[in-house]
Amino acid sequence: MDKDDAELMFQSVEQQAESVRAGKVTSRALVEAALRRIERLDPALGAFRVVLAEQALAEADARDADAGPESGPLHGVPLAVKDEFDVAGQVTTFGGAANRTPAGADSEAVRRLRAAGAVVIGKTTMPEFGQWPFTESLTHGTAHNPWDTTRTPGGSSGGSAAAVAAGLVGAALGGDGGGSLRIPAACCGLFGLKPQRGRVSTAPDPHLWYALGTVGPLTRTVRDAALLYDVLAGTTPADRWSARPAATGWLQALETPPGRLRIGYSAKPAVPGVRPHPEHVGALLETVRTLRELGHDVREVNPRYPDATLPFAAQFCGGVRAEAAAVERPDLLEPRTRSTLALARLVPEAAVERGIRAGERLAERADRMFTTMDLLLTPVVAARPRRVGALDGAGLLTALARSRPMVAYTALWNVTGQPAASVPAGLGTDGLPLAVQLVGRRDDEVSVLRVAAQLEGARPWSDRRPRPPAA
């Protein structure tokens, strides 16, 4: 049964949905397989904050009763949701203990997943308010990397990444406010695209950490990411930001090769004083060779990165403050979060808005970088995944210092809003995944996806599986 469950759950989301529509497998069988794997493997992973077994099975039965060739693109597929997005009937904990009342309705992103036929099987772990690139919570415990459970899966969408990498679900919803999709994707060997700001709705909230945050999935294949973004893309009147609509569906766009693109590459971090791990530089150079073999014009560049520290810090403080103001029991926030809030109270709302405007000016500077290249290739993180416990006993300043190597290549693109993706690039000598980052022009997720799909075809990664952790 374990082998059969693994074969089912390591199929792509696209394959799972096609099998349900064709009657080759039932949604109930998929959900039962996922639940068995969660029961067996998640005690060692800590990926799930709550598993919705009864609700998911009932939802699967409803999908099976309505299955057919015209069913939605995610029909019957079990997916997981990061615990910062509302799922009707469940508490949105934001990784802590300060909320107690269940949400009355799904968030817009979750509503879209269900409307496409997905079954929500559970909510995944995160650090409180998603502040850190390590998924560690005093209330809900620590998430572990399926490739080596002594190591972090990254964060803040680390529970979602661990669940997908371990084959507990085919995909999981996450968020990215400074690298929180790309960092765990890099740590866990997944594909993680941070879309253009305003591409996916944050409703019922008008924003996710103001201009920094985006919503998106973690997947094992590029096609699954395109499929899910076709479902998720679009905003509501409640959203503060809205991206320019895509000219075509993203899954359809993958049918057209990108052509010969100008791709600049650099190992230079956007954060001064950080040095990339040699194996990350090696993965970058190996990817350069592959891209040249694919016919692209790939040249080393020396980006003049703008300093995004102040606009990022202002919105970080404003975002945590806004989320903390909405919880029911602020007295139950973690001590480190209370330190963040003490700092955030020194940053008035007017300073947050100035940070947003400064970020827009930086986006215009970043746009000029892309006049001489179509994509930028960099590492995703500077350091190898740390041992779990990175936040143990750490105050605010220590946590910030330990986070710098993890966000040194990612956070800038949250400030500017450009799309950026973590693309798997093999395994390091420590047995943990390697990755590279592709950054595109504003609103040009399609070029990022097309080149990532080329890399996936040239060096397939979705068949790599971590060894199941001991229960």
Side-chain angles (χ1 to χ4, degrees):
M1 184 63 72
D2 285 350
K3 182 178 180 182
D4 292 342
D5 288 348
E7 291 308 309
L8 273 178
M9 298 316 300
F10 275 104
Q11 287 181 348
S12 70
V13 168
E14 187 178 30
Q15 289 171 326
Q16 290 176 353
E18 287 176 351
S19 294
V20 173
R21 285 194 297 271
K24 296 178 180 178
V25 69
T26 63
S27 177
R28 173 172 270 269
L30 284 174
V31 170
E32 287 177 339
L35 290 173
R36 284 191 292 267
R37 287 183 65 78
I38 292 169
E39 182 179 20
R40 184 167 68 87
L41 301 178
D42 197 51
L45 295 174
F48 280 88
R49 199 273 296 174
V50 63
V51 179
L52 309 176
E54 290 185 11
Q55 298 96 313
L57 287 168
E59 199 169 356
D61 288 341
R63 297 292 187 239
D64 287 332
D66 194 33
E70 301 305 315
S71 299
L74 303 176
H75 194 87
V77 176
L79 301 178
V81 174
K82 185 181 180 182
D83 205 10
E84 65 182 335
F85 304 116
D86 290 346
V87 170
Q90 298 300 314
V91 177
T92 305
T93 74
F94 296 102
N99 263 353
R100 299 298 174 87
T101 302
D106 291 336
S107 68
E108 176 63 11
V110 174
R111 185 198 69 77
R112 286 173 179 253
L113 292 176
R114 287 202 213 260
V119 174
V120 176
I121 202 168
K123 302 197 76 179
T124 56
T125 50
M126 60 182 289
E128 192 164 56
F129 297 138
Q131 296 171 81
W132 311 110
F134 314 105
T135 301
E136 301 175 11
S137 162
L138 293 180
T139 304
H140 305 297
T142 296
H144 299 257
N145 194 316
W147 293 88
D148 178 350
T149 54
T150 70
R151 302 287 172 168
T152 181
S156 62
S157 304
S160 287
V164 177
L168 308 185
V169 287
L173 193 64
D176 193 315
S180 292
L181 284 168
R182 290 160 289 159
I183 293 166
C187 290
C188 294
L190 304 175
F191 181 73
L193 168 66
K194 180 197 81 68
Q196 175 68 33
R197 176 188 304 140
R199 180 67 64 200
V200 178
S201 176
T202 59
D205 300 310
H207 58 77
L208 180 63
W209 281 15
Y210 292 85
L212 298 179
T214 61
V215 181
L218 286 157
T219 64
R220 286 192 292 272
T221 72
V222 177
R223 284 186 64 84
D224 275 353
L227 172 65
L228 281 154
Y229 275 116
D230 276 339
V231 168
L232 291 165
T235 52
T236 74
D239 288 283
R240 180 167 175 178
W241 282 278
S242 181
R244 188 176 67 205
T248 183
W250 290 4
L251 200 55
Q252 180 184 353
L254 289 181
E255 304 303 321
T256 303
R260 179 179 171 86
L261 297 183
R262 300 167 302 167
I263 302 175
Y265 74 92
S266 175
K268 175 182 175 181
V271 173
V274 173
R275 181 174 297 180
H277 191 282
E279 289 197 70
H280 294 183
V281 178
L284 178 73
L285 296 178
E286 183 60 34
T287 304
V288 167
R289 286 190 285 271
T290 302
L291 289 169
R292 285 173 174 159
E293 291 169 359
L294 289 166
H296 296 291
D297 178 9
V298 189
R299 302 181 184 185
E300 187 171 13
V301 295
N302 183 25
R304 298 181 62 183
Y305 292 124
D307 185 355
T309 304
L310 290 179
F312 182 88
Q315 293 175 81
F316 172 88
C317 287
V320 173
R321 185 175 62 218
E323 291 180 344
V327 301
E328 299 163 81
R329 294 286 306 275
D331 57 303
L332 297 180
L333 293 172
E334 294 183 4
R336 193 166 37 246
T337 299
R338 293 200 291 273
S339 296
T340 303
L341 289 173
L343 176 63
R345 292 188 185 103
L346 303 176
V347 183
E349 194 67 18
V352 177
E353 293 297 326
R354 285 196 298 273
I356 294 169
R357 293 193 294 273
E360 288 302 314
R361 292 192 294 272
L362 295 185
E364 293 172 1
R365 288 182 58 185
D367 284 342
R368 291 196 288 272
M369 291 171 52
F370 290 94
T371 59
T372 57
M373 58 184 170
D374 301 303
L375 295 172
L376 174 65
L377 178 73
T378 75
V380 183
V381 294
R384 302 301 289 144
R386 290 181 66 108
R387 288 193 173 274
V388 295
L391 300 180
D392 287 355
L396 177 60
L397 294 180
T398 299
L400 288 170
R402 291 176 182 173
S403 298
R404 287 181 80 243
M406 301 296 280
V407 302
Y409 292 95
T410 57
L412 169 63
W413 308 112
N414 293 85
V415 174
T416 64
Q418 268 96 348
S422 176
V423 182
L427 298 176
T429 55
D430 56 7
L432 291 161
L434 297 165
V436 293
Q437 179 176 233
L438 282 171
V439 185
R441 293 188 180 94
R442 278 202 251 195
D443 294 300
D444 190 16
E445 292 99 330
V446 165
S447 291
V448 174
L449 284 166
R450 284 172 171 166
V451 172
Q454 282 190 317
L455 289 170
E456 184 179 29
R459 50 186 198 194
W461 62 70
S462 62
D463 57 346
R464 292 196 184 104
R465 302 180 187 179
R467 181 177 300 173

